[in-house]
Amino acid sequence: MKLVVVSAGLSVPSSTRLLADRLAAAVGRQAEAEVELEVVELRDLAVEIAHNFTNGFPGRKLAAALEAVTEADGLIAVTPVFTASYSGLFKSFFDVLDKDALAGKPVLIAATGGTARHSLVLEHALRPMFAYLRAVVVPTGVYAASEDWGAEGLEGRVERAAGELAGLMQGLSRAGREEPEALPVVPFAEQLARLAAS
């Protein structure tokens, strides 16, 4: 199974990337199958994303990132909070992604911020955006404020959300591999005879 992490952190080191790494590690621990991980750092793609808006074509690195997200079995999307919402870079990346790329794809949403007061960004900004893109967003979103690092509670939310994502990825992976059960073929004349007899 292929898991792609989209991290919109701007600083180095980044608490957004740290949260993304914890979530990815937790999915890897809870998945029954081997998980292939790819991380997309949006700060490295900022210029190519801007150029895509002006010329309509993704650069080489952006095209590879868009392809990775499109082909993923599951996605972890993590953004820092800016002005009580997701960052502009985060939104811009998903704006240049094909509108059908996330349809039916399991997505775990997460965000980081300086204060717990912004935790509703998950429900008021991220969840509606991914619902619009027709992704399947796991029930548990993970928000980490500055005071959450090293505090009780964050690890529990990380593990719960990762378990939900791993379960969805495994379910879809199994469904794609299994042959659908063949329906019995009943000749038309036999169907008519059955109807007449009833």
Side-chain angles (χ1 to χ4, degrees):
M1 295 188 302
K2 182 173 182 179
L3 174 64
V4 173
V5 173
V6 174
S7 173
L10 298 178
S11 59
V12 181
S14 161
S15 61
T16 301
R17 175 61 190 269
L18 179 60
L19 180 58
D21 289 344
R22 284 194 184 187
L23 289 164
V27 171
R29 284 192 303 273
Q30 297 193 43
E32 294 172 9
E34 186 178 338
V35 175
E36 175 192 340
L37 175 65
E38 183 169 344
V39 177
V40 174
E41 281 282 7
L42 295 187
R43 74 168 171 263
D44 299 335
L45 301 173
V47 172
E48 289 192 22
I49 290 170
H51 286 167
N52 192 100
F53 280 115
T54 58
N55 64 24
F57 297 100
R60 185 178 50 81
K61 288 181 183 175
L62 177 58
L66 295 172
E67 183 179 355
V69 169
T70 301
E71 293 178 354
D73 295 306
L75 180 69
I76 296 173
V78 191
T79 180
V81 173
F82 284 102
T83 322
S85 189
Y86 38 65
S87 73
L89 181 59
F90 184 83
K91 178 65 164 61
S92 295
F93 176 77
F94 288 101
D95 283 345
V96 299
L97 186 67
D98 184 89
K99 65 181 178 62
D100 297 320
L102 297 183
K105 193 179 301 295
V107 176
L108 191 167
I109 55 173
T112 57
T115 171
R117 289 193 304 262
H118 290 303
S119 62
L120 287 176
V121 71
L122 296 172
E123 303 306 322
H124 291 283
L126 280 112
R127 196 173 296 276
M129 184 184 89
F130 284 104
Y132 175 79
L133 294 170
R134 294 176 293 138
V136 179
V137 183
V138 302
T140 304
V142 180
Y143 179 82
S146 298
E147 63 266 23
D148 288 326
W149 298 102
E152 218 174 293
L154 179 59
E155 280 309 309
R157 295 194 306 275
V158 165
E159 293 296 326
R160 185 168 62 244
E164 292 166 357
L165 181 62
L168 280 174
M169 289 172 64
Q170 286 161 190
L172 290 176
S173 180
R174 274 193 217 104
R177 286 194 311 265
E178 291 172 0
E179 289 289 326
E181 189 176 321
L183 296 173
V185 178
V186 179
F188 184 67
E190 189 178 327
Q191 291 178 31
L192 286 177
R194 286 182 186 174
L195 284 172
S198 61

